[in-house]
Amino acid sequence: MMETQIQTNYSYMGRNFSNTNDDSTAFSDCNSDRSGEFPTTSSESRRLLLSCATENSEDLIRQLVSGLESGSVDDQKQAAMELRLLAKNKPENRLMIARAGAIRPLIALISSSDPQLQEYGVTAILNLSLCDENKEQLASSGAIKPLVRALKSGTSTAKENAACALLRLSQLDENKSAIGRSGAIPLLVNLLESGNIRGKKDASTALYSLCSVKENKIRAVEAGIMKPLVELMADFGSNMVDKSAFVMSILVSTAEARAALVEEGGIPVLVEIIEVGSQRQKEIAVVILLQICDQSLVYRTMVAREGAIPPLIALSQSGTNRAKQKAETLIELLRRPRSGNNAANQDLTD
């Protein structure tokens, strides 16, 4: 996974945030696969290195595409591996490989009962999906459902690369709902909860993209996403606080997500982040709390009782510009009268 450098004004998948002077590399995106080089014989390695350095790889690519449809599993593995590396190492090859007819046979490999062959197919598809021109063809050729199956039953690397490929396909808005309907959301939530650190990051990034669609937010909440999000945000050593908070921030626009967050004990965790988190973490946390409290007297009361006002006052004086403004707004909300007509007119449960 290629980590992005934090700039003066940082952004996460199209949403802009203020300067935080935070060097964390928690914000990352799924770029080309991070798998190790697959073992090959010396002659095959020389051939592959030569092909990666050659200006014109078209003849080799055509041969490899033919190899994908070989009756030999070993030949299919070798062809998929070489195509995966060609797509990884030379971006211009991604479109060339797709135009040579590789997409459909590679998708077929994802459904293979051979775990290694499936992994090679998934990884090659991921690298092809890095090319914007390939995304529509991959989806229209039927890549989504096989990728979801790999996310369910593949090797750990296949699951992680499938999550990344689905993220890339979800960057076309018309694919977000199709990916959600395919059953990807619960599997990504499971990867977020039980995967290794790379799997958790890949899953959270994919979920952030997919949950820009309301129906996928509901699917994520129903799949139990709030429990792992709250747990990861509470663990400052997880290197997942920021990414988890970003996913949460996009979910809490729905009442179902707000209720789930409170039920899973998210309010104390968010208040703690405002107390001791990084500047970036504090900013995201106050944005989430403001969304929770905006139309719910019950939630405002819970936040105030958790002792949020003192750290919010501190944040309003020393946070980022956006954090200061959000903290001031939240403090004003929390200090509103809790009885009388004002309170009676508030939405108690949202």
Side-chain angles (χ1 to χ4, degrees), residues 92-93 248 271 289:
E92 59 270 28
N93 284 338
M248 185 178 288
V271 173
L289 282 175

Side-chain angles (χ1 to χ4, degrees), residues 91-126:
E92 59 270 28
N93 284 338
R94 294 167 190 159
L95 191 57
M96 194 183 306
I97 291 169
R99 287 175 174 169
I103 286 178
R104 288 190 182 277
L106 282 172
I107 291 172
L109 297 189
I110 302 177
S111 299
S112 171
S113 59
D114 184 299
Q116 190 178 52
L117 185 57
Q118 179 191 56
E119 180 183 314
Y120 289 8
V122 169
T123 307
I125 289 292
L126 165 60

